[in-house]
Amino acid sequence: MSTPSTPVRVRMAPSPTGSPHVGLVRTALFNYAFAKHAQLSGQGGTFVLRVEDTDKERSTEESYTSILELFRWLGLDWDEGVEVGGPYGPYRQSERSDLYRDVLERLRASSYTYDCYCRNDEVEARRKASGSKVMGYDGFCRDLTSEQVEAFRAEGREPLVRFRMPEGSISWDDLVRGEVTFETEFVPDFALCRANGDPLYTLTAPVDDATMRITHVLRGEDLLSSTPRQIALFDAMKEIGVAEVTPLYGHLPYVMGEGNKKLSKRDPQAHALAYRDQGFLPEGLLNYVALLGWSIAADRDVFDLEEMVEAFDIKDVNANPARFDLKKAEAINTAHMRRLPVEEIQHRALPFLKAAGVVGDPVRDADAQLLELAMPLVAERVNKLAEVPQMLGFLFVPEEEFTRDQADVEKLLDEEGRRVVQAAHDAVAALGTWSTAAIQEALQTTLVEELGLKPRVAFGPVRVAITGRRVSPPLFESMELLGRERSLARLASAL
RNA sequence: GCCCCGUUCGUCUAGCGGCCCAGGACGCUGGCCUCUCACGCCGGAAGCACGGGUUCGAAUCCCGUACGGGGUACCA
């Protein structure tokens, strides 16, 4: 097969059924990187977003919306497609019915298709009787006589339209797997539209790829076996003048969950937007997902989108399935958190702070100022944005609503702990200046030096008294920000 | 069943015939740093599925086997 010499055009073609999957993110990302890389070398590089909603039963508007939301959050901007328009629209298959009907009509006129009146049980019965090993349709209706057609019609049967698969074999040079060949005897004649006239994916995807001038199709491995059918259909479409070139295909490996099963929609780890809600950074998720089947270099695995685009080559993509490892995803995300300046983390954490009720919406001036001071304390120790409100809550909460973690209280504010807190209270109450340095010195002197406590034993109870948790921002800084009044009050209330 | 795809540490990968008694990362683990946590730093255990070829030489090429996955719809 020849390489299309036309400018590179790729597409992302999700069907809006259910909540978007991380596998979709990976496919979208690789398509995006492929397009943008082509752009860099002046080979075109248009990234199209088309929505495959031909299945009216399963498609939902909610799913459609969340897919767009996902791509926007990730920054995987599409050049052409749904909502943004373009020269080959519309980009929702549900709005392209006339096109499909027209192509189907022309295909039928050239005998590339035939009407099929069979019922599934009949096909199955024939298969059993013949002992054929090939599942699927047997081509029974390929050459029906007009009498047979009459008879079926008389029974009230409505035909669906099947594509007549050619004899021989079909092979293509898969962009990620190399040469793949199917004997067409194992590729049954497939349905192009339902008996009620609704077009099926088998028709719509190739028709759209043809009419949208798609040059490279990068998609999931699950579509591998539908490729010979699409190539055959492309040959027919070229004959009737609907298509010019057959795109090049590349089949990306699966993203699997725990064990050896494909990450299913039931798996909570599968839902892409859940990562946003947990406080993942889009660059973190993207980076991790890129690692599933691709690598930028032997000794490096943290990079941003731009670097990926620069380095991406579909030939480097692995053909074997990858398991999604949450731990590593989090680690990669952490690396991206560390790359961000404090102001940026603050900016991105704001929605989380608001959602948790830590600050109001809009943010009050006093809270904004406090946030400014507190953010540097936590920015370098949180791994996900959602941890920010947990870490900072104690500073913003009104005193009467302040609570402590029960388990931490039991563990650290026992009799011994309360003695430490009492000592801390007394040491700090006398302070002339309320500053981190002064607080630290006072506590260090009385608790560690005078009482002879180990630092961790000394400060643990104080930390729980002040912040309510065993895990918190640095203690002395926290006390300074909390202020003398509130700090003393909390120490006292812990007794 | 049949067709197709895949197989390097637990996981993601580097490797595209000699640079590899296999490198990195996450995880695990010993230690350091340390007011908690997180980060960071130093060290450790851990892998070429198996069997045949080809070759002076194979993780790399070929063929089998085993195992895993997908498809086999009037879903996509």
Side-chain angles (χ1 to χ4, degrees), chain A residues 345-364 367-368 371 375 385-386 388-390 392-393 396:
Chain A
I345 293 186
Q346 180 174 334
H347 173 68
R348 300 206 202 187
L350 202 54
F352 288 85
L353 287 160
K354 287 176 179 172
V358 169
V359 299
D361 188 8
V363 184
R364 298 189 342 238
D367 283 351
L371 193 56
M375 212 54 212
L385 294 172
V388 172
Q390 293 170 19
L392 253 27
F396 293 82

Side-chain angles (χ1 to χ4, degrees), chain A residues 17 52-60 194 199:
Chain A
T17 56
E52 309 216 325
D53 55 351
T54 50
D55 188 338
K56 297 184 190 113
E57 311 287 281
R58 301 198 305 149
S59 300
T60 67
R194 294 188 161 107

